[in-house]
Amino acid sequence: MPELPEVETIKNELLPHVIGRCITGIDLCWDGIVRYPSPDEFRNRLLGQTITWLTRRGKYLIFSLTSTGFLIIHLKMSGSLLLKTTTALDERFVRAIIYLDNETAILFRDPRKFGRMWLVPDTGEIASKLGPEPLSPAFTPELLAQLLQNRSAPVKALLLDQARIAGIGNMYADEALFASRIHPLRPGESLSPEEIAHLHQAIQKVLRAGIKNKGASIENYFRPDGAPGTAHFEFQVAHHRGQTCPVCGTPLQRIVVRNRGTYLCPNCQS
Ligand SMILES: [Zn+2]
C-alpha cells in the first residue's frame, strides 16, 4: 500500500504537470471509484475546473480547484496515478482518467479497486480525522509520548492508527520499530522516554529515506511516469520473508499484528 513517502513522491512528481491546468474531460471506467458525490455530479462539477494546488495529508492527495472545492484521492491498497499523453492511454486496470488541457491525462490505475475519490467543498472532514504529520515540526518526541501513553495496544497498531499519526503504514512501521529496536507487540504505554525518543527519530529517518528514494515498489506502486521507487532496497526487515537480520544474522520472524504481516528480529527487538 502506498504510504507517506509514496504519496509524497506522487505529489511532488505530479505537481509541475498539473498546477494551472484545466480539467477538460473525465472518464469513469468504474463508477465505484467515486465515493462522493454521485458519479454524474462528480463529472459535471469537475469539468472545466483549474487545478490551483496539490498537497498531501497523511496518505491522501488533495487537489485544490478554482471554484468547486477539492478533489481528494486515496490510493488505498494498490492505486497509482500515472501521467500519460492522451495518445498513450492503453493501460490495464485503469478506473478513471482525468484529461488536462496540456494533452496529458492522469490515469487512476488500481488493480484491486480499493482506491477512492471525493469532490468536497472543504478538506475539514478528512483532515479532522487524521493525526499529526510525522515530518512536521508539531510531531515532537513529547507528542509521540502523549500518543502512546495509557495505551495497552501494541505499539505497531498505534503507529498504524491514522487518527493518531497520519501517513505511516505497514512497511515503514516495521522499519521504524526495527531501527529503534522495539518489539512491535510492546504495549504503547510500556515504552520508556528513551525508547520513545529513539522511535521518534527512527520514524522520521525511515520516512525521509523513503521520500529520498521515491517510495518503495514492492507491489503495485509506481511513480507518475511509470518508474518504480527504490526505497525497498534500503529496507532492513519489511517484506524480508525468510531472510536474516542484517545486524545480528538471526532469522527474521514474521508475526501478525492486528491482521498485518509484521517482520522483526527476535534478537534485536525487545
Ligand atoms: Zn537482529
Side-chain angles (χ1 to χ4, degrees):
M1 178 196 268
E3 304 179 25
L4 187 155
E6 288 73 37
V7 181
E8 179 73 11
T9 301
I10 293 169
K11 185 262 288 176
N12 290 340
E13 297 189 351
L14 276 182
L15 219 138
H17 301 278
V18 304
I19 298 304
R21 307 301 355 162
C22 179
I23 295 170
T24 56
I26 298 117
D27 284 348
L28 294 176
C29 317
W30 178 62
D31 276 354
I33 201 157
V34 177
R35 191 80 178 81
Y36 182 87
S38 69
D40 280 345
E41 203 181 335
F42 180 89
R43 225 181 333 244
N44 292 340
R45 280 169 47 189
L46 205 49
L47 207 59
Q49 291 290 313
T50 297
I51 298 168
T52 55
W53 196 242
L54 171 58
T55 185
R56 179 194 58 75
R57 179 78 173 90
K59 302 177 195 169
Y60 293 87
L61 285 159
I62 303 173
F63 295 77
S64 306
L65 305 166
T66 28
S67 64
T68 195
F70 302 88
L71 167 65
I72 299 182
I73 295 181
H74 198 302
L75 300 167
K76 294 280 180 175
M77 298 298 289
S78 64
S80 50
L81 296 179
L82 300 173
L83 202 62
K84 296 269 182 180
T85 64
T86 46
T87 52
L89 301 178
D90 56 338
E91 278 282 337
R92 288 178 75 200
F93 306 121
V94 172
R95 311 303 177 196
I97 305 174
I98 299 171
Y99 297 89
L100 304 176
D101 64 354
N102 53 354
E103 289 176 357
T104 61
I106 302 168
L107 276 62
F108 194 159
R109 183 183 184 275
D110 189 14
R112 296 179 65 181
K113 290 185 160 178
F114 288 106
R116 292 292 180 268
M117 298 196 283
W118 298 256
L119 190 55
V120 291
D122 67 80
T123 58
E125 198 176 323
I126 278 170
S128 65
K129 289 182 188 149
L130 295 174
E133 286 289 325
L135 294 178
S136 72
F139 184 68
T140 58
E142 294 72 32
L143 181 59
L144 180 59
Q146 279 174 32
L147 299 173
L148 301 177
Q149 76 185 5
N150 302 325
R151 303 292 305 194
S152 57
V155 58
K156 174 160 178 188
L158 297 169
L159 294 181
L160 295 183
D161 178 358
Q162 300 300 297
R164 214 163 283 281
I165 310 171
I168 301 174
N170 204 35
M171 302 183 290
Y172 294 93
D174 282 1
E175 287 299 303
L177 288 166
F178 176 76
S180 50
R181 303 172 63 96
I182 296 167
H183 197 287
L185 288 175
R186 285 272 302 280
E189 63 194 0
S190 74
L191 270 60
S192 69
E194 193 187 11
E195 287 175 317
I196 291 173
H198 285 154
L199 178 58
H200 175 267
Q201 196 176 31
I203 289 170
Q204 295 198 326
K205 187 173 151 228
V206 300
L207 293 176
R208 287 205 175 101
I211 294 169
K212 181 171 154 274
N213 293 311
K214 318 287 187 199
S217 288
I218 284 174
E219 285 177 54
N220 283 296
Y221 163 74
F222 298 101
R223 291 155 59 190
D225 65 358
T230 58
H232 51 295
F233 295 125
E234 287 190 12
F235 282 173
Q236 305 288 294
V237 294
H239 292 280
H240 281 204
R241 188 186 284 266
Q243 297 185 37
T244 55
C245 172
V247 173
C248 74
T250 303
L252 295 176
Q253 234 178 29
R254 183 183 184 274
I255 60 170
V256 176
V257 180
R258 300 271 168 95
N259 294 323
R260 308 301 301 273
T262 297
Y263 294 84
L264 67 128
C265 173
N267 183 42
C268 292
Q269 290 170 263
S270 58

